[in-house]
Amino acid sequence: MLTVAALYHFTRFPDPAALKPGLLETCQAQDVKGSLLLAREGINGTIAGTRQGIDAALAAIRALPGCEGLEWKESFADSMPFGRMKVKLKREIVTMGQPDVDPLARVGNYVAAQDWNALISDPETVVIDTRNDYEVAIGTFQGAVDPGTRAFGEFPDWWQANRNRFAGKRIAMFCTGGIRCEKSTNYLLGQGVNQVYHLKGGILKYLEDVPESESLWQGQCFVFDDRVSVGHGLVPGGLKVCGACRRPVMAEDQAAPEYEEGVCCPACAEEYSTADRARFRERHHQMLLAAKRGTLHLGSGAL
């Protein structure tokens, strides 16, 4: 059983590039795999490994400037959900494209998982899912508004087009682990919205802490690793991910005539050329050959 740690922390890194070698070396030495993003605004990512390895990696992250108060969410996997370890330098640790947004200045009111049901059940509360459309498609909270965005950077434009619908309402937002809401709540506060709330620890914390019998969550939660999704208790959901578009593929979609493992799913049937499909098909073939040899093909879905 391996430990999977999802984390983010906003802080000021004057020179993120200087932090990359040490983090990568620590994770590789402990056989920890996954992806960490570094930017001037902080760190974000998900990593997996043994208990000892994850503890060592988290200790290295907490030793970074301003990261003493790092919080993270843990779940578990029977096998390694990542193919390699990557530490990347980015302009933002979650891309919104709004230079004036600063979660270190102020954010909305945090709501603990055990208090979330009461807030979103209030008819005066508008609940907004800040995740991408393909994530919302496999699960969300009962009654939540789906902005239908394909990337988080589309959220500000969506808000501007729809803000009059929510005038005078209390706004409650949520995302997978909480990071998008740090920015989206700061953005709404800057837009003059007074009552802004967000789910502390995100969906992952809710699914961990709230019993299924009391839950208002419907479906599964998409995660960015080979588990594809998790459900209540953070148990892997058993979905597949399309080898072409990387969207989650439900069981009924796997039975559709448009589905070809590693090549195509119903959602992307019209999105790629014949040449693209041939390339995806060859990549999938090489992945199957690598699996027979007991090795990892780096073109696989593993991050």
Side-chain angles (χ1 to χ4, degrees), residues 138-302:
I138 67 168
T140 191
F141 280 106
Q142 185 176 304
V145 175
D146 174 14
T149 52
R150 296 193 64 177
F152 186 50
E154 297 176 7
F155 181 84
D157 286 343
W158 174 83
W159 174 260
Q160 294 301 330
N162 291 273
R163 60 183 304 163
N164 292 337
R165 294 168 52 193
F166 312 123
K169 294 285 188 177
R170 180 191 302 120
I171 305 296
M173 294 188 284
F174 64 92
C175 57
T176 306
I179 186 170
R180 292 181 220 188
C181 291
E182 301 281 351
K183 287 195 169 183
S184 59
T185 58
N186 177 272
Y187 176 76
L188 260 62
L189 289 168
Q191 295 295 309
V193 182
N194 295 319
Q195 298 187 75
V196 184
Y197 299 81
H198 53 135
L199 176 58
K200 185 173 178 58
I203 302 163
L204 296 179
K205 188 63 175 173
Y206 183 91
L207 294 177
E208 180 182 15
D209 288 357
V210 176
E212 186 170 2
S213 60
E214 302 173 12
S215 176
L216 296 181
W217 175 261
Q218 299 174 327
Q220 300 182 38
C221 176
F222 183 83
V223 291
F224 293 88
D225 59 62
D226 276 2
R227 294 172 300 169
V228 184
S229 68
V230 295
H232 288 92
L234 302 182
V235 176
L239 297 187
K240 291 186 177 182
V241 68
C242 176
C245 68
R246 313 307 300 159
R247 295 183 180 100
V249 184
M250 305 291 283
E252 56 268 30
D253 292 330
Q254 295 172 35
E258 299 89 349
Y259 179 72
E260 181 180 349
E261 186 172 3
V263 179
C264 185
C265 74
C268 70
E270 305 298 326
E271 293 183 0
Y272 295 96
S273 68
T274 301
D276 288 331
R277 297 297 178 199
R279 179 166 50 86
F280 299 153
R281 198 168 285 113
E282 176 59 24
R283 180 186 61 188
H284 186 63
H285 175 65
Q286 293 301 323
M287 288 166 53
L288 294 177
L289 292 177
K292 287 182 180 179
R293 295 192 301 266
T295 61
L296 175 71
H297 185 268
L298 291 183
S300 69

